[in-house]
Amino acid sequence: MPRALITGITGQDGLYLAEFLLGQGYDVHGLLRGQNNPKRDLVEELLPEVTLHNGDLTDMSSLIRALRECDPAEVYNLGAVSFVAYSWENAALTTDVTGKGVLNMLEAVRLHAGDDPSSVRFYQASSSEMFGKVQEVPQRETTLLWPRSPYGVAKVFGHYMTINYRESYGMHASSGILFNHESPRRGQEFVTRKISQAVARIHLGLQDHVTLGNLDAERDWGFAGDYVEAMWLMLQQDVADDYVVATGETHSVREFVQAAFAHVGIDGWERHVRYDERFMRPAEVDQLVGDASKAHRQLGWKPKVGFAELVAMMVDTDIDAFRTGW
Ligand code: NAP
Ligand code: F7E
């Protein structure tokens, strides 16, 4: 039975990836941080087969201990401070976790793997935020990186460190440059979930409006459940590499809002949307759209869930949750 260690197991992607790997017959282990992490219960309830290990990406000795405890064949490094807006307020913390945390994990894996550094396969959760002020449309693996936030800068560090460990030590280290991916498990601070929850509550008469920032920003939004499969496929290749994972379609925040209100049959969505400068960012990423043809060609990966289906899935799940008082 192959064994995998996932950092960031309590996050959106960690949960989907753990479910996917269990379905593939893996023995799944997860890294859990903090002395009394409130999300431990969620993981234990949803995925009782997963074994949890204490550790933090900023503490390399804890990573070495976790690797010793589970001795995995594959490591998926999903742990990060991942909220872009928060990264301006906590730039140093974001750098430590999202940036230097990658180096800590790579070095821990290298030390653990001993004489054969390629014996433990490594996945790094890189991000389309690295493209920032985009230098090419659509963005592909070779597009020049121009990050626009402390989060983006930290991800660029982790991305190049992953490539450097592959080139320096022959590690099987791959980097997935994933564009935005969402789901009913998306954190409430991200715009899609903020909208799906608000629309669900407005539909049920529990709320009147939602307050947002920049409606003009455009993102290439896919479904997280589809994207974790691409992570796994990268680690099944003979040779490690970097891949863009995206749908190739871009939509504005405004279009997401429109689609969500239209799904519940509310016309005149403008009545329910207010603007607050608080949600604007010091530097914005205006438009992202990815070219995932390398992943299509080499991994045989394609997204299954489209934009309209994703919006409907998120809104419907939130309506059910608010109806049942969950
Ligand atoms: P998420 O829901 O915010 O999850 C982040 C995870 O990182 C959580 O499990 C969190 O644990 C963990 N974490 C935070 N600080 C940590 C630390 N110091 N040590 C160990 N773990 C720590 O993010 P996601 O959406 O699942 O994304 C997964 C990864 O993909 C992240 O690296 C993200 O930056 C990257 N990414 C995401 C997207 C996207 O659209 N979702 C796109 C490209 C790249 P707690 O629960 O304990 O806080
Ligand atoms: O913002 C605009 C905001 O916070 C999307 C992370 O997973 O994907 C994610 O980063 C857009 C931005 O995601 C609000 O200005 C308007 O243009 O949902 P978001 P993100 O910043 O794209 C990348 C690929 C990652 O790697 C990250 O980890 O929506 N926007 N009004 C708003 N955003 C938020 N959060 N809240 C608003 O009220």
Side-chain angles (χ1 to χ4, degrees):
M1 189 191 264
R3 196 173 307 129
L5 174 66
I6 302 172
T7 74
I9 190 135
T10 57
Q12 169 187 257
D13 292 7
L15 293 172
Y16 279 110
L17 179 64
E19 267 172 1
F20 176 80
L21 294 178
L22 288 168
Q24 297 290 320
Y26 275 68
D27 176 17
V28 179
H29 294 247
L31 192 82
L32 189 80
R33 77 185 171 114
Q35 69 179 54
N36 184 20
N37 192 317
K39 296 198 197 138
R40 174 185 278 273
D41 291 348
L42 170 76
V43 180
E44 286 180 342
E45 216 169 278
L46 199 66
L47 304 164
E49 307 93 328
V50 168
T51 308
L52 294 171
H53 303 265
N54 291 317
D56 194 297
L57 284 167
T58 59
D59 178 347
M60 195 167 74
S61 68
S62 75
L63 304 178
I64 293 173
R65 268 197 309 280
L67 287 166
R68 275 200 197 132
E69 282 164 19
C70 63
D71 192 24
E74 297 175 6
V75 172
Y76 295 86
N77 187 38
L78 310 186
V81 172
S82 79
F83 188 33
V84 173
Y86 178 86
S87 78
W88 274 281
E89 290 159 29
N90 297 274
L93 176 69
T94 305
T95 303
D96 285 346
V97 179
T98 306
K100 190 159 171 259
V102 184
L103 171 60
N104 289 341
M105 197 71 230
L106 281 163
E107 186 61 11
V109 168
R110 186 178 78 84
L111 294 173
H112 180 75
D115 291 343
D116 182 6
S118 68
S119 61
V120 183
R121 298 188 173 195
F122 181 87
Y123 172 83
Q124 169 55 20
S126 287
S127 165
S128 55
E129 271 291 307
M130 301 190 306
F131 295 121
K133 188 174 173 185
V134 301
Q135 300 297 299
E136 190 179 15
V137 181
Q139 296 82 53
R140 47 181 69 90
E141 292 79 5
T142 50
T143 302
L144 182 71
L145 305 179
W146 196 305
R148 295 273 280 171
S149 61
Y151 169 83
V153 174
K155 281 288 179 188
V156 171
F157 174 83
H159 180 67
Y160 282 128
M161 213 32 111
T162 303
I163 294 171
N164 183 256
Y165 266 61
R166 183 167 75 217
E167 294 179 352
S168 304
Y169 303 113
M171 271 176 69
H172 192 293
S174 291
S175 180
I177 308 174
L178 271 54
F179 282 61
N180 296 54
H181 45 280
E182 320 293 313
S183 75
R185 289 180 181 156
R186 187 56 143 153
Q188 301 174 10
E189 64 274 38
F190 299 97
V191 79
T192 55
R193 188 75 196 291
K194 186 172 169 184
I195 295 166
S196 69
Q197 285 197 320
V199 169
R201 290 177 61 84
I202 292 166
H203 170 69
L204 295 172
L206 301 170
Q207 178 176 326
D208 173 65
H209 63 269
V210 57
T211 306
L212 298 168
N214 181 12
L215 299 186
D216 294 324
E218 294 177 30
R219 291 291 182 274
D220 181 332
W221 278 299
F223 171 53
D226 289 344
Y227 283 37
V228 297
E229 198 172 337
M231 299 176 186
W232 174 74
L233 284 167
M234 285 178 217
L235 296 206
Q236 309 318 304
Q237 305 305 304
D238 290 339
V239 178
D241 207 340
D242 308 317
Y243 298 89
V244 158
V245 176
T247 69
E249 242 185 62
T250 191
H251 296 272
S252 65
V253 174
R254 179 177 291 98
E255 284 176 276
F256 196 103
V257 172
Q258 277 166 343
F261 277 106
H263 180 66
V264 296
I266 296 179
D267 296 327
W269 59 270
E270 290 90 343
R271 281 183 289 123
H272 298 287
V273 176
R274 293 190 189 163
Y275 167 77
D276 192 326
E277 196 163 347
R278 212 157 38 97
F279 297 113
M280 298 297 280
R281 296 178 178 181
E284 180 62 281
V285 172
D286 295 322
Q287 189 202 50
L288 290 174
V289 55
D291 172 1
S293 50
K294 181 176 171 186
H296 298 171
R297 223 174 29 250
Q298 286 178 222
L299 304 177
W301 178 86
K302 283 221 165 122
K304 298 183 189 89
V305 177
F307 178 72
E309 200 184 334
L310 175 66
V311 174
M313 179 203 303
M314 292 180 71
V315 172
D316 287 343
T317 310
D318 282 328
I319 290 174
D320 283 348
F322 288 126
R323 261 205 190 114
T324 55
W326 171 70

